[in-house]
Amino acid sequence: MRRRALLAAPVLAFAARAARAQSWPARPVRVIIPFPPGGGIDILVRAVGAELSSRWGQPVVVESRAGASGIIGAEAAARSAPDGYTLLGTVNQTFTTNRFLFRTLPYDPDKGFTPVSLMVQSDHMLLAHPSVEADDVAGLIRLAKGKPGSLTYGSFGSGTQPQLVYEAMNQHEKLDILHVPYNGIAPLMLATTRGEVMLATGSASVAGELIRTGKIKALGTAGSRRIGQFPQVPTTGEQGFPYIRASIWYGLFAPAGTPDEVVQRIGNDVREVLNTPAFTQAQVTNRGLDLVASDGPALAREIRDETASVGEIIRAARIEPQ
């Protein structure tokens, strides 16, 4: 009798977990975005959330909690109940660069979250205001050397891709391009179109229309291949500057301790949405993003690998933690 009970225990436990996944969600699900509205991650998560609302029969509410390089929103998500009703949609910075830029973090980038899915990724382009007298990377370097301290670049927070790119250029080429931080990618793009800063970086998803309308121009693609929407823009490697690399990914996370079966259901449903051909075309391909739609373990591996390489870049750029 006791042996039968022992054998039945795992079956009952599995049944309980399955029932919990089936009953979830019983109320609205909140996704915290730790950046201002209007950025690429915000746009994609809202689109995914709308599809999930239909599937789940519950609202998916996207909440912007911007500030402190994404720390405020990440902390709020990490401190939320691990029940699947609060998620974090963010970019690589939250889990890779922030650990090098701040002496202490109010969340643990290794143990504070359970990775759900890496959704998309995108290479950045080097961007310039149309008044900048350069049309490629070599021209920009010549201009910066001829007018030291006269050029400015904007970033969307300390340690974000623009700062890593231009500080690497400052170090490699002995330049003096000055840093002006903004609170998010949307304010940075606006500042660049206005000429408040002369340089920036951004993905095709957020800068594409600005490039097409001539409000900003692209000097190069900081990835391994040209971007489909802008095949005329050569990569930085093709231009002879392979050290200039910048890409961004969008990932979804749950607070650590969220039941595995709930995490798996969220991840499976998110990936089904992302892989729907109409959604992929409208929200991924047309916005210059590359579909990944990987699972949680793959996202965890991506974080580990990128953390090692980002640490080297930050040390080379001599960016000190705050």
Side-chain angles (χ1 to χ4, degrees):
M1 191 71 174
R2 184 171 180 273
R3 176 178 171 79
R4 187 178 302 168
L6 290 173
L7 291 174
V11 176
L12 293 174
F14 175 81
R17 290 194 297 269
R20 181 162 49 184
Q22 289 297 322
S23 64
W24 180 96
R27 62 179 190 272
V29 176
R30 176 179 63 154
V31 184
I32 294 176
I33 306 295
F35 305 105
I41 179 68
D42 179 75
I43 295 170
L44 181 67
V45 169
R46 289 181 187 278
V48 172
E51 296 295 323
L52 293 177
S53 293
S54 298
R55 289 171 177 252
W56 293 344
Q58 293 288 347
V60 176
V61 180
V62 178
E63 178 183 331
S64 175
R65 289 248 193 137
S69 298
I71 291 175
I72 292 174
E75 179 185 13
R79 292 174 181 262
S80 298
D83 53 13
Y85 290 98
T86 298
L87 304 172
L88 175 70
T90 191
V91 302
N92 23 355
Q93 172 192 354
T94 304
F95 290 89
T96 57
T97 57
N98 275 359
R99 70 178 74 211
F100 299 106
L101 300 175
F102 300 94
R103 290 185 174 86
T104 60
L105 288 173
Y107 64 92
D108 188 329
D110 295 316
K111 300 178 181 179
F113 293 90
T114 298
V116 176
S117 181
L118 197 165
M119 298 183 288
V120 301
Q121 63 184 21
S122 177
D123 292 327
H124 271 213
M125 291 182 283
L126 272 66
L127 306 172
H129 186 267
S131 65
V132 173
E133 298 175 341
D135 294 314
D136 55 22
V137 178
L140 174 61
I141 291 172
R142 287 194 299 269
L143 180 63
K145 286 185 174 180
K147 299 179 180 179
S150 64
L151 290 176
T152 56
Y153 73 88
S155 76
F156 42 97
S158 178
T160 54
Q161 296 289 355
Q163 186 180 24
L164 297 181
V165 165
Y166 288 107
E167 289 304 321
M169 290 178 64
N170 278 340
Q171 293 294 322
H172 277 264
E173 311 295 341
K174 304 296 189 292
L175 307 179
D176 186 22
I177 306 176
L178 305 179
H179 180 209
V180 181
Y182 287 84
N183 186 28
I185 185 67
L188 171 59
M189 291 296 99
L190 181 60
T192 308
T193 62
R194 290 175 173 174
E196 295 174 10
V197 290
M198 308 311 293
L199 303 166
T201 75
S203 65
S205 64
V206 296
E209 188 62 24
L210 299 175
I211 296 171
R212 282 187 285 269
T213 56
K215 294 180 180 179
I216 56 177
K217 59 183 177 180
L219 306 182
T221 298
S224 59
R225 57 189 173 82
R226 298 192 183 197
I227 294 174
Q229 289 180 300
F230 299 97
Q232 76 280 11
V233 180
T235 67
T236 51
E238 290 176 297
Q239 297 183 56
F241 304 93
Y243 72 87
I244 302 176
R245 299 294 296 270
S247 64
I248 191 169
W249 51 252
Y250 304 161
L252 191 66
F253 299 80
T258 302
D260 290 343
E261 61 275 12
V262 173
V263 170
Q264 290 172 8
R265 179 174 176 192
I266 296 171
N268 289 339
D269 287 349
V270 167
R271 288 185 286 275
E272 284 186 12
V273 168
L274 290 170
N275 281 298
T276 302
F279 186 94
T280 302
Q281 186 66 40
Q283 300 297 336
V284 179
T285 307
N286 288 352
R287 294 178 51 225
L289 300 169
D290 295 321
L291 181 66
V292 180
S294 67
D295 60 16
L299 176 51
R301 290 192 295 272
E302 176 71 20
I303 292 170
R304 286 195 298 270
D305 293 344
E306 187 175 317
T307 295
S309 60
V310 165
E312 293 179 4
I313 295 172
I314 288 177
R315 285 188 289 270
R318 299 177 185 176
I319 301 173
E320 296 296 327
Q322 301 176 8

